[in-house]
Each structure stands twice: as C-alpha cells, then as structure tokens.
PDB file of all heavy atoms in Angstrom:
ATOM      1  N   GLY A   1     -35.115   9.301  14.600  1.00 97.00           N
ATOM      2  CA  GLY A   1     -35.712  10.079  15.676  1.00 97.00           C
ATOM      3  C   GLY A   1     -37.226  10.077  15.645  1.00 97.00           C
ATOM      4  O   GLY A   1     -37.867   9.287  14.939  1.00 97.00           O
ATOM      5  N   ALA A   2     -37.784  10.982  16.430  1.00 98.00           N
ATOM      6  CA  ALA A   2     -39.235  11.132  16.514  1.00 98.00           C
ATOM      7  C   ALA A   2     -39.558  12.527  17.015  1.00 98.00           C
ATOM      8  O   ALA A   2     -38.796  13.113  17.800  1.00 98.00           O
ATOM      9  CB  ALA A   2     -39.835  10.084  17.452  1.00 98.00           C
ATOM     10  N   ARG A   3     -40.676  13.052  16.552  1.00 98.00           N
ATOM     11  CA  ARG A   3     -41.222  14.313  17.069  1.00 98.00           C
ATOM     12  C   ARG A   3     -42.688  14.069  17.377  1.00 98.00           C
ATOM     13  O   ARG A   3     -43.439  13.632  16.496  1.00 98.00           O
ATOM     14  CB  ARG A   3     -41.083  15.447  16.056  1.00 98.00           C
ATOM     15  CG  ARG A   3     -39.677  15.942  15.858  1.00 98.00           C
ATOM     16  CD  ARG A   3     -39.658  17.336  15.230  1.00 98.00           C
ATOM     17  NE  ARG A   3     -40.391  17.384  13.983  1.00 98.00           N
ATOM     18  CZ  ARG A   3     -39.845  17.252  12.773  1.00 98.00           C
ATOM     19  NH1 ARG A   3     -38.542  17.036  12.658  1.00 98.00           N
ATOM     20  NH2 ARG A   3     -40.577  17.312  11.689  1.00 98.00           N
ATOM     21  N   PHE A   4     -43.091  14.345  18.608  1.00 98.00           N
ATOM     22  CA  PHE A   4     -44.475  14.069  18.962  1.00 98.00           C
ATOM     23  C   PHE A   4     -44.905  14.882  20.176  1.00 98.00           C
ATOM     24  O   PHE A   4     -44.080  15.440  20.905  1.00 98.00           O
ATOM     25  CB  PHE A   4     -44.687  12.571  19.227  1.00 98.00           C
ATOM     26  CG  PHE A   4     -43.824  11.978  20.317  1.00 98.00           C
ATOM     27  CD1 PHE A   4     -44.318  11.820  21.606  1.00 98.00           C
ATOM     28  CD2 PHE A   4     -42.526  11.567  20.055  1.00 98.00           C
ATOM     29  CE1 PHE A   4     -43.537  11.270  22.606  1.00 98.00           C
ATOM     30  CE2 PHE A   4     -41.743  11.004  21.048  1.00 98.00           C
ATOM     31  CZ  PHE A   4     -42.240  10.849  22.328  1.00 98.00           C
ATOM     32  N   THR A   5     -46.201  14.933  20.350  1.00 98.00           N
ATOM     33  CA  THR A   5     -46.799  15.541  21.540  1.00 98.00           C
ATOM     34  C   THR A   5     -47.287  14.416  22.438  1.00 98.00           C
ATOM     35  O   THR A   5     -47.940  13.481  21.978  1.00 98.00           O
ATOM     36  CB  THR A   5     -47.979  16.452  21.161  1.00 98.00           C
ATOM     37  OG1 THR A   5     -47.485  17.505  20.324  1.00 98.00           O
ATOM     38  CG2 THR A   5     -48.621  17.047  22.398  1.00 98.00           C
ATOM     39  N   ARG A   6     -46.939  14.511  23.703  1.00 98.00           N
ATOM     40  CA  ARG A   6     -47.381  13.526  24.696  1.00 98.00           C
ATOM     41  C   ARG A   6     -48.350  14.183  25.669  1.00 98.00           C
ATOM     42  O   ARG A   6     -48.044  15.226  26.254  1.00 98.00           O
ATOM     43  CB  ARG A   6     -46.192  12.951  25.451  1.00 98.00           C
ATOM     44  CG  ARG A   6     -46.572  12.173  26.717  1.00 98.00           C
ATOM     45  CD  ARG A   6     -45.416  11.373  27.263  1.00 98.00           C
ATOM     46  NE  ARG A   6     -45.105  10.252  26.369  1.00 98.00           N
ATOM     47  CZ  ARG A   6     -44.086   9.418  26.563  1.00 98.00           C
ATOM     48  NH1 ARG A   6     -43.275   9.596  27.595  1.00 98.00           N
ATOM     49  NH2 ARG A   6     -43.873   8.429  25.713  1.00 98.00           N
ATOM     50  N   ARG A   7     -49.510  13.555  25.814  1.00 98.00           N
ATOM     51  CA  ARG A   7     -50.424  13.924  26.897  1.00 98.00           C
ATOM     52  C   ARG A   7     -50.316  12.820  27.940  1.00 98.00           C
ATOM     53  O   ARG A   7     -50.591  11.658  27.644  1.00 98.00           O
ATOM     54  CB  ARG A   7     -51.854  14.066  26.384  1.00 98.00           C
ATOM     55  CG  ARG A   7     -52.015  15.295  25.490  1.00 98.00           C
ATOM     56  CD  ARG A   7     -53.403  15.430  24.925  1.00 98.00           C
ATOM     57  NE  ARG A   7     -53.658  14.428  23.882  1.00 98.00           N
ATOM     58  CZ  ARG A   7     -54.789  14.346  23.197  1.00 98.00           C
ATOM     59  NH1 ARG A   7     -55.781  15.187  23.445  1.00 98.00           N
ATOM     60  NH2 ARG A   7     -54.935  13.423  22.250  1.00 98.00           N
ATOM     61  N   ALA A   8     -49.858  13.187  29.138  1.00 98.00           N
ATOM     62  CA  ALA A   8     -49.558  12.184  30.165  1.00 98.00           C
ATOM     63  C   ALA A   8     -50.375  12.441  31.417  1.00 98.00           C
ATOM     64  O   ALA A   8     -50.613  13.584  31.806  1.00 98.00           O
ATOM     65  CB  ALA A   8     -48.068  12.214  30.497  1.00 98.00           C
ATOM     66  N   ALA A   9     -50.787  11.344  32.037  1.00 98.00           N
ATOM     67  CA  ALA A   9     -51.566  11.431  33.277  1.00 98.00           C
ATOM     68  C   ALA A   9     -51.084  10.369  34.245  1.00 98.00           C
ATOM     69  O   ALA A   9     -50.865   9.215  33.857  1.00 98.00           O
ATOM     70  CB  ALA A   9     -53.047  11.226  32.987  1.00 98.00           C
ATOM     71  N   GLU A  10     -50.902  10.739  35.503  1.00 97.00           N
ATOM     72  CA  GLU A  10     -50.603   9.753  36.539  1.00 97.00           C
ATOM     73  C   GLU A  10     -51.920   9.296  37.147  1.00 97.00           C
ATOM     74  O   GLU A  10     -52.700  10.114  37.639  1.00 97.00           O
ATOM     75  CB  GLU A  10     -49.688  10.338  37.617  1.00 97.00           C
ATOM     76  CG  GLU A  10     -49.205   9.289  38.593  1.00 97.00           C
ATOM     77  CD  GLU A  10     -48.090   9.783  39.492  1.00 97.00           C
ATOM     78  OE1 GLU A  10     -46.955   9.944  38.996  1.00 97.00           O
ATOM     79  OE2 GLU A  10     -48.376  10.020  40.684  1.00 97.00           O
ATOM     80  N   LEU A  11     -52.151   8.001  37.083  1.00 97.00           N
ATOM     81  CA  LEU A  11     -53.411   7.427  37.542  1.00 97.00           C
ATOM     82  C   LEU A  11     -53.138   6.397  38.622  1.00 97.00           C
ATOM     83  O   LEU A  11     -52.057   5.787  38.655  1.00 97.00           O
ATOM     84  CB  LEU A  11     -54.152   6.770  36.374  1.00 97.00           C
ATOM     85  CG  LEU A  11     -54.431   7.645  35.147  1.00 97.00           C
ATOM     86  CD1 LEU A  11     -55.030   6.810  34.026  1.00 97.00           C
ATOM     87  CD2 LEU A  11     -55.359   8.809  35.513  1.00 97.00           C
ATOM     88  N   SER A  12     -54.117   6.174  39.481  1.00 97.00           N
ATOM     89  CA  SER A  12     -53.960   5.216  40.582  1.00 97.00           C
ATOM     90  C   SER A  12     -55.105   4.210  40.589  1.00 97.00           C
ATOM     91  O   SER A  12     -56.000   4.262  41.444  1.00 97.00           O
ATOM     92  CB  SER A  12     -53.888   5.956  41.920  1.00 97.00           C
ATOM     93  OG  SER A  12     -52.768   6.804  41.967  1.00 97.00           O
ATOM     94  N   PRO A  13     -55.101   3.286  39.614  1.00 96.00           N
ATOM     95  CA  PRO A  13     -56.064   2.197  39.690  1.00 96.00           C
ATOM     96  C   PRO A  13     -55.751   1.324  40.901  1.00 96.00           C
ATOM     97  O   PRO A  13     -54.700   1.487  41.534  1.00 96.00           O
ATOM     98  CB  PRO A  13     -55.847   1.441  38.373  1.00 96.00           C
ATOM     99  CG  PRO A  13     -54.451   1.762  37.979  1.00 96.00           C
ATOM    100  CD  PRO A  13     -54.182   3.154  38.478  1.00 96.00           C
ATOM    101  N   GLU A  14     -56.629   0.410  41.226  1.00 95.00           N
ATOM    102  CA  GLU A  14     -56.454  -0.394  42.432  1.00 95.00           C
ATOM    103  C   GLU A  14     -55.128  -1.149  42.409  1.00 95.00           C
ATOM    104  O   GLU A  14     -54.789  -1.842  41.455  1.00 95.00           O
ATOM    105  CB  GLU A  14     -57.599  -1.406  42.547  1.00 95.00           C
ATOM    106  CG  GLU A  14     -57.565  -2.214  43.837  1.00 95.00           C
ATOM    107  CD  GLU A  14     -58.759  -3.119  44.005  1.00 95.00           C
ATOM    108  OE1 GLU A  14     -59.675  -3.059  43.164  1.00 95.00           O
ATOM    109  OE2 GLU A  14     -58.775  -3.888  44.973  1.00 95.00           O
ATOM    110  N   GLY A  15     -54.329  -0.945  43.450  1.00 97.00           N
ATOM    111  CA  GLY A  15     -53.110  -1.714  43.638  1.00 97.00           C
ATOM    112  C   GLY A  15     -51.853  -1.151  43.018  1.00 97.00           C
ATOM    113  O   GLY A  15     -50.781  -1.749  43.171  1.00 97.00           O
ATOM    114  N   CYS A  16     -51.932  -0.020  42.333  1.00 98.00           N
ATOM    115  CA  CYS A  16     -50.727   0.485  41.662  1.00 98.00           C
ATOM    116  C   CYS A  16     -50.895   1.943  41.267  1.00 98.00           C
ATOM    117  O   CYS A  16     -51.982   2.505  41.343  1.00 98.00           O
ATOM    118  CB  CYS A  16     -50.411  -0.343  40.413  1.00 98.00           C
ATOM    119  SG  CYS A  16     -51.693  -0.218  39.132  1.00 98.00           S
ATOM    120  N   THR A  17     -49.796   2.526  40.829  1.00 98.00           N
ATOM    121  CA  THR A  17     -49.799   3.830  40.177  1.00 98.00           C
ATOM    122  C   THR A  17     -49.160   3.658  38.812  1.00 98.00           C
ATOM    123  O   THR A  17     -48.125   2.981  38.686  1.00 98.00           O
ATOM    124  CB  THR A  17     -49.013   4.873  40.992  1.00 98.00           C
ATOM    125  OG1 THR A  17     -49.600   4.992  42.289  1.00 98.00           O
ATOM    126  CG2 THR A  17     -49.029   6.234  40.303  1.00 98.00           C
ATOM    127  N   VAL A  18     -49.762   4.250  37.784  1.00 98.00           N
ATOM    128  CA  VAL A  18     -49.240   4.149  36.421  1.00 98.00           C
ATOM    129  C   VAL A  18     -49.213   5.529  35.780  1.00 98.00           C
ATOM    130  O   VAL A  18     -49.913   6.447  36.228  1.00 98.00           O
ATOM    131  CB  VAL A  18     -50.097   3.209  35.535  1.00 98.00           C
ATOM    132  CG1 VAL A  18     -50.132   1.810  36.114  1.00 98.00           C
ATOM    133  CG2 VAL A  18     -51.498   3.757  35.344  1.00 98.00           C
ATOM    134  N   GLU A  19     -48.408   5.659  34.728  1.00 98.00           N
ATOM    135  CA  GLU A  19     -48.498   6.824  33.853  1.00 98.00           C
ATOM    136  C   GLU A  19     -49.142   6.377  32.557  1.00 98.00           C
ATOM    137  O   GLU A  19     -48.678   5.435  31.919  1.00 98.00           O
ATOM    138  CB  GLU A  19     -47.135   7.429  33.559  1.00 98.00           C
ATOM    139  CG  GLU A  19     -47.246   8.683  32.674  1.00 98.00           C
ATOM    140  CD  GLU A  19     -45.925   9.274  32.291  1.00 98.00           C
ATOM    141  OE1 GLU A  19     -45.255   8.703  31.401  1.00 98.00           O
ATOM    142  OE2 GLU A  19     -45.558  10.307  32.881  1.00 98.00           O
ATOM    143  N   LEU A  20     -50.223   7.040  32.201  1.00 98.00           N
ATOM    144  CA  LEU A  20     -50.871   6.818  30.919  1.00 98.00           C
ATOM    145  C   LEU A  20     -50.404   7.912  29.979  1.00 98.00           C
ATOM    146  O   LEU A  20     -50.585   9.099  30.263  1.00 98.00           O
ATOM    147  CB  LEU A  20     -52.393   6.865  31.078  1.00 98.00           C
ATOM    148  CG  LEU A  20     -53.224   6.801  29.799  1.00 98.00           C
ATOM    149  CD1 LEU A  20     -53.013   5.473  29.072  1.00 98.00           C
ATOM    150  CD2 LEU A  20     -54.701   7.021  30.108  1.00 98.00           C
ATOM    151  N   ALA A  21     -49.777   7.529  28.857  1.00 98.00           N
ATOM    152  CA  ALA A  21     -49.243   8.495  27.893  1.00 98.00           C
ATOM    153  C   ALA A  21     -49.922   8.302  26.548  1.00 98.00           C
ATOM    154  O   ALA A  21     -50.002   7.177  26.043  1.00 98.00           O
ATOM    155  CB  ALA A  21     -47.733   8.333  27.749  1.00 98.00           C
ATOM    156  N   LEU A  22     -50.399   9.392  25.987  1.00 98.00           N
ATOM    157  CA  LEU A  22     -51.026   9.408  24.669  1.00 98.00           C
ATOM    158  C   LEU A  22     -50.092  10.176  23.743  1.00 98.00           C
ATOM    159  O   LEU A  22     -49.932  11.395  23.875  1.00 98.00           O
ATOM    160  CB  LEU A  22     -52.398  10.086  24.729  1.00 98.00           C
ATOM    161  CG  LEU A  22     -53.335   9.651  25.859  1.00 98.00           C
ATOM    162  CD1 LEU A  22     -54.633  10.453  25.806  1.00 98.00           C
ATOM    163  CD2 LEU A  22     -53.617   8.158  25.798  1.00 98.00           C
ATOM    164  N   ASP A  23     -49.448   9.476  22.805  1.00 98.00           N
ATOM    165  CA  ASP A  23     -48.410  10.063  21.948  1.00 98.00           C
ATOM    166  C   ASP A  23     -48.892  10.172  20.506  1.00 98.00           C
ATOM    167  O   ASP A  23     -49.392   9.191  19.942  1.00 98.00           O
ATOM    168  CB  ASP A  23     -47.144   9.202  21.968  1.00 98.00           C
ATOM    169  CG  ASP A  23     -46.473   9.176  23.333  1.00 98.00           C
ATOM    170  OD1 ASP A  23     -46.819  10.016  24.186  1.00 98.00           O
ATOM    171  OD2 ASP A  23     -45.590   8.319  23.536  1.00 98.00           O
ATOM    172  N   GLN A  24     -48.696  11.365  19.922  1.00 98.00           N
ATOM    173  CA  GLN A  24     -49.085  11.554  18.518  1.00 98.00           C
ATOM    174  C   GLN A  24     -48.081  12.468  17.837  1.00 98.00           C
ATOM    175  O   GLN A  24     -47.740  13.538  18.350  1.00 98.00           O
ATOM    176  CB  GLN A  24     -50.488  12.149  18.418  1.00 98.00           C
ATOM    177  CG  GLN A  24     -51.023  12.195  17.001  1.00 98.00           C
ATOM    178  CD  GLN A  24     -52.514  12.526  16.943  1.00 98.00           C
ATOM    179  OE1 GLN A  24     -53.124  12.869  17.941  1.00 98.00           O
ATOM    180  NE2 GLN A  24     -53.089  12.419  15.765  1.00 98.00           N
ATOM    181  N   GLY A  25     -47.572  12.038  16.670  1.00 98.00           N
ATOM    182  CA  GLY A  25     -46.599  12.831  15.923  1.00 98.00           C
ATOM    183  C   GLY A  25     -46.041  12.036  14.771  1.00 98.00           C
ATOM    184  O   GLY A  25     -46.792  11.352  14.067  1.00 98.00           O
ATOM    185  N   ILE A  26     -44.703  12.099  14.582  1.00 98.00           N
ATOM    186  CA  ILE A  26     -44.073  11.384  13.466  1.00 98.00           C
ATOM    187  C   ILE A  26     -42.779  10.711  13.922  1.00 98.00           C
ATOM    188  O   ILE A  26     -42.096  11.186  14.822  1.00 98.00           O
ATOM    189  CB  ILE A  26     -43.763  12.311  12.267  1.00 98.00           C
ATOM    190  CG1 ILE A  26     -42.853  13.476  12.686  1.00 98.00           C
ATOM    191  CG2 ILE A  26     -45.041  12.808  11.617  1.00 98.00           C
ATOM    192  CD1 ILE A  26     -42.342  14.305  11.521  1.00 98.00           C
ATOM    193  N   LEU A  27     -42.475   9.598  13.249  1.00 98.00           N
ATOM    194  CA  LEU A  27     -41.183   8.942  13.357  1.00 98.00           C
ATOM    195  C   LEU A  27     -40.322   9.410  12.204  1.00 98.00           C
ATOM    196  O   LEU A  27     -40.814   9.659  11.095  1.00 98.00           O
ATOM    197  CB  LEU A  27     -41.347   7.423  13.304  1.00 98.00           C
ATOM    198  CG  LEU A  27     -42.188   6.798  14.420  1.00 98.00           C
ATOM    199  CD1 LEU A  27     -42.511   5.351  14.080  1.00 98.00           C
ATOM    200  CD2 LEU A  27     -41.467   6.893  15.757  1.00 98.00           C
ATOM    201  N   LEU A  28     -38.999   9.504  12.415  1.00 97.00           N
ATOM    202  CA  LEU A  28     -38.080  10.047  11.426  1.00 97.00           C
ATOM    203  C   LEU A  28     -36.950   9.056  11.173  1.00 97.00           C
ATOM    204  O   LEU A  28     -36.265   8.631  12.109  1.00 97.00           O
ATOM    205  CB  LEU A  28     -37.475  11.359  11.926  1.00 97.00           C
ATOM    206  CG  LEU A  28     -38.474  12.441  12.368  1.00 97.00           C
ATOM    207  CD1 LEU A  28     -37.784  13.485  13.227  1.00 97.00           C
ATOM    208  CD2 LEU A  28     -39.097  13.075  11.151  1.00 97.00           C
ATOM    209  N   GLY A  29     -36.759   8.686   9.904  1.00 94.00           N
ATOM    210  CA  GLY A  29     -35.648   7.816   9.521  1.00 94.00           C
ATOM    211  C   GLY A  29     -35.042   8.333   8.243  1.00 94.00           C
ATOM    212  O   GLY A  29     -35.603   8.130   7.169  1.00 94.00           O
ATOM    213  N   GLY A  30     -33.924   9.060   8.335  1.00 87.00           N
ATOM    214  CA  GLY A  30     -33.381   9.743   7.162  1.00 87.00           C
ATOM    215  C   GLY A  30     -34.372  10.792   6.701  1.00 87.00           C
ATOM    216  O   GLY A  30     -34.854  11.605   7.487  1.00 87.00           O
ATOM    217  N   SER A  31     -34.721  10.761   5.423  1.00 90.00           N
ATOM    218  CA  SER A  31     -35.722  11.711   4.913  1.00 90.00           C
ATOM    219  C   SER A  31     -37.138  11.129   4.974  1.00 90.00           C
ATOM    220  O   SER A  31     -38.086  11.778   4.560  1.00 90.00           O
ATOM    221  CB  SER A  31     -35.388  12.088   3.465  1.00 90.00           C
ATOM    222  OG  SER A  31     -35.469  10.942   2.620  1.00 90.00           O
ATOM    223  N   ARG A  32     -37.266   9.918   5.485  1.00 94.00           N
ATOM    224  CA  ARG A  32     -38.577   9.258   5.541  1.00 94.00           C
ATOM    225  C   ARG A  32     -39.264   9.530   6.870  1.00 94.00           C
ATOM    226  O   ARG A  32     -38.614   9.650   7.912  1.00 94.00           O
ATOM    227  CB  ARG A  32     -38.427   7.753   5.321  1.00 94.00           C
ATOM    228  CG  ARG A  32     -37.862   7.422   3.957  1.00 94.00           C
ATOM    229  CD  ARG A  32     -38.012   5.967   3.620  1.00 94.00           C
ATOM    230  NE  ARG A  32     -37.525   5.704   2.266  1.00 94.00           N
ATOM    231  CZ  ARG A  32     -37.763   4.596   1.598  1.00 94.00           C
ATOM    232  NH1 ARG A  32     -38.468   3.624   2.147  1.00 94.00           N
ATOM    233  NH2 ARG A  32     -37.289   4.431   0.383  1.00 94.00           N
ATOM    234  N   THR A  33     -40.578   9.583   6.804  1.00 96.00           N
ATOM    235  CA  THR A  33     -41.376   9.777   8.010  1.00 96.00           C
ATOM    236  C   THR A  33     -42.531   8.776   8.023  1.00 96.00           C
ATOM    237  O   THR A  33     -42.917   8.242   6.981  1.00 96.00           O
ATOM    238  CB  THR A  33     -41.951  11.205   8.097  1.00 96.00           C
ATOM    239  OG1 THR A  33     -42.853  11.410   7.001  1.00 96.00           O
ATOM    240  CG2 THR A  33     -40.852  12.250   8.064  1.00 96.00           C
ATOM    241  N   ALA A  34     -43.046   8.539   9.219  1.00 97.00           N
ATOM    242  CA  ALA A  34     -44.231   7.692   9.384  1.00 97.00           C
ATOM    243  C   ALA A  34     -45.033   8.243  10.551  1.00 97.00           C
ATOM    244  O   ALA A  34     -44.466   8.795  11.504  1.00 97.00           O
ATOM    245  CB  ALA A  34     -43.844   6.241   9.637  1.00 97.00           C
ATOM    246  N   ALA A  35     -46.336   8.110  10.460  1.00 97.00           N
ATOM    247  CA  ALA A  35     -47.202   8.602  11.529  1.00 97.00           C
ATOM    248  C   ALA A  35     -46.940   7.816  12.814  1.00 97.00           C
ATOM    249  O   ALA A  35     -46.705   6.613  12.798  1.00 97.00           O
ATOM    250  CB  ALA A  35     -48.664   8.489  11.119  1.00 97.00           C
ATOM    251  N   LEU A  36     -46.995   8.523  13.921  1.00 98.00           N
ATOM    252  CA  LEU A  36     -46.864   7.926  15.251  1.00 98.00           C
ATOM    253  C   LEU A  36     -48.133   8.229  16.029  1.00 98.00           C
ATOM    254  O   LEU A  36     -48.517   9.397  16.188  1.00 98.00           O
ATOM    255  CB  LEU A  36     -45.654   8.512  15.974  1.00 98.00           C
ATOM    256  CG  LEU A  36     -45.540   8.248  17.480  1.00 98.00           C
ATOM    257  CD1 LEU A  36     -45.358   6.754  17.740  1.00 98.00           C
ATOM    258  CD2 LEU A  36     -44.389   9.035  18.073  1.00 98.00           C
ATOM    259  N   CYS A  37     -48.798   7.189  16.497  1.00 98.00           N
ATOM    260  CA  CYS A  37     -50.022   7.355  17.276  1.00 98.00           C
ATOM    261  C   CYS A  37     -50.126   6.137  18.188  1.00 98.00           C
ATOM    262  O   CYS A  37     -50.409   5.032  17.717  1.00 98.00           O
ATOM    263  CB  CYS A  37     -51.235   7.455  16.342  1.00 98.00           C
ATOM    264  SG  CYS A  37     -52.722   8.083  17.128  1.00 98.00           S
ATOM    265  N   GLU A  38     -49.846   6.317  19.476  1.00 98.00           N
ATOM    266  CA  GLU A  38     -49.815   5.163  20.360  1.00 98.00           C
ATOM    267  C   GLU A  38     -50.134   5.538  21.802  1.00 98.00           C
ATOM    268  O   GLU A  38     -50.116   6.707  22.188  1.00 98.00           O
ATOM    269  CB  GLU A  38     -48.465   4.451  20.284  1.00 98.00           C
ATOM    270  CG  GLU A  38     -47.311   5.240  20.832  1.00 98.00           C
ATOM    271  CD  GLU A  38     -45.973   4.533  20.633  1.00 98.00           C
ATOM    272  OE1 GLU A  38     -45.852   3.713  19.708  1.00 98.00           O
ATOM    273  OE2 GLU A  38     -45.050   4.818  21.416  1.00 98.00           O
ATOM    274  N   VAL A  39     -50.398   4.492  22.576  1.00 98.00           N
ATOM    275  CA  VAL A  39     -50.726   4.604  23.995  1.00 98.00           C
ATOM    276  C   VAL A  39     -49.691   3.807  24.778  1.00 98.00           C
ATOM    277  O   VAL A  39     -49.374   2.678  24.416  1.00 98.00           O
ATOM    278  CB  VAL A  39     -52.137   4.037  24.274  1.00 98.00           C
ATOM    279  CG1 VAL A  39     -52.448   4.072  25.771  1.00 98.00           C
ATOM    280  CG2 VAL A  39     -53.186   4.793  23.476  1.00 98.00           C
ATOM    281  N   GLU A  40     -49.174   4.405  25.848  1.00 98.00           N
ATOM    282  CA  GLU A  40     -48.277   3.681  26.741  1.00 98.00           C
ATOM    283  C   GLU A  40     -48.862   3.682  28.153  1.00 98.00           C
ATOM    284  O   GLU A  40     -49.379   4.710  28.616  1.00 98.00           O
ATOM    285  CB  GLU A  40     -46.893   4.337  26.783  1.00 98.00           C
ATOM    286  CG  GLU A  40     -46.106   4.242  25.496  1.00 98.00           C
ATOM    287  CD  GLU A  40     -44.733   4.868  25.606  1.00 98.00           C
ATOM    288  OE1 GLU A  40     -44.371   5.346  26.707  1.00 98.00           O
ATOM    289  OE2 GLU A  40     -44.019   4.888  24.591  1.00 98.00           O
ATOM    290  N   VAL A  41     -48.772   2.550  28.814  1.00 98.00           N
ATOM    291  CA  VAL A  41     -49.121   2.448  30.229  1.00 98.00           C
ATOM    292  C   VAL A  41     -47.860   1.991  30.942  1.00 98.00           C
ATOM    293  O   VAL A  41     -47.391   0.872  30.749  1.00 98.00           O
ATOM    294  CB  VAL A  41     -50.267   1.443  30.470  1.00 98.00           C
ATOM    295  CG1 VAL A  41     -50.559   1.335  31.972  1.00 98.00           C
ATOM    296  CG2 VAL A  41     -51.520   1.860  29.716  1.00 98.00           C
ATOM    297  N   GLU A  42     -47.272   2.874  31.753  1.00 96.00           N
ATOM    298  CA  GLU A  42     -46.014   2.574  32.443  1.00 96.00           C
ATOM    299  C   GLU A  42     -46.249   2.416  33.933  1.00 96.00           C
ATOM    300  O   GLU A  42     -46.828   3.288  34.589  1.00 96.00           O
ATOM    301  CB  GLU A  42     -44.988   3.670  32.192  1.00 96.00           C
ATOM    302  CG  GLU A  42     -43.649   3.385  32.855  1.00 96.00           C
ATOM    303  CD  GLU A  42     -42.591   4.432  32.572  1.00 96.00           C
ATOM    304  OE1 GLU A  42     -42.830   5.311  31.726  1.00 96.00           O
ATOM    305  OE2 GLU A  42     -41.511   4.362  33.203  1.00 96.00           O
ATOM    306  N   HIS A  43     -45.800   1.306  34.467  1.00 95.00           N
ATOM    307  CA  HIS A  43     -45.885   1.041  35.903  1.00 95.00           C
ATOM    308  C   HIS A  43     -44.966   2.002  36.652  1.00 95.00           C
ATOM    309  O   HIS A  43     -43.798   2.164  36.298  1.00 95.00           O
ATOM    310  CB  HIS A  43     -45.457  -0.409  36.160  1.00 95.00           C
ATOM    311  CG  HIS A  43     -45.264  -0.738  37.598  1.00 95.00           C
ATOM    312  ND1 HIS A  43     -44.024  -0.874  38.173  1.00 95.00           N
ATOM    313  CD2 HIS A  43     -46.166  -0.962  38.583  1.00 95.00           C
ATOM    314  CE1 HIS A  43     -44.153  -1.178  39.446  1.00 95.00           C
ATOM    315  NE2 HIS A  43     -45.441  -1.248  39.730  1.00 95.00           N
TER     316      HIS A  43
END
C-alpha cells in the first residue's frame, strides 16, 4: 500500500487540461516502508 498527501491542481496550458499532482508520503510493503515523493501530470 501507500499513505500520502496529494496536492492537486487542474491547469489549462495551451491545447489541453491536465491535473498536476504533488504526492508525498510513504510506500508500504509488509513491515517495510520507503519514502514517496513524486509529481504526476495527468491528461
């Protein structure tokens, strides 16, 4: 699994609309964790 906070914005650059998502938290695999810090641009 994963636990994180997402800051999301709908933006309209020329020719399209996208969602910009800024994700920060942790990934979960059994008792192990890893930092999660990433950017997504979704059409």
Side-chain angles (χ1 to χ4, degrees):
R3 288 199 304 265
F4 58 97
T5 299
R6 166 167 290 176
R7 290 178 287 182
E10 188 168 287
L11 305 174
S12 298
E14 185 175 355
C16 64
T17 301
V18 300
E19 182 183 76
L20 174 63
L22 313 178
D23 294 346
Q24 188 169 8
I26 58 171
L27 299 168
L28 306 162
S31 64
R32 298 193 177 194
T33 64
L36 167 65
C37 195
E38 67 185 25
V39 176
E40 292 182 2
V41 178
E42 182 178 351
H43 170 255

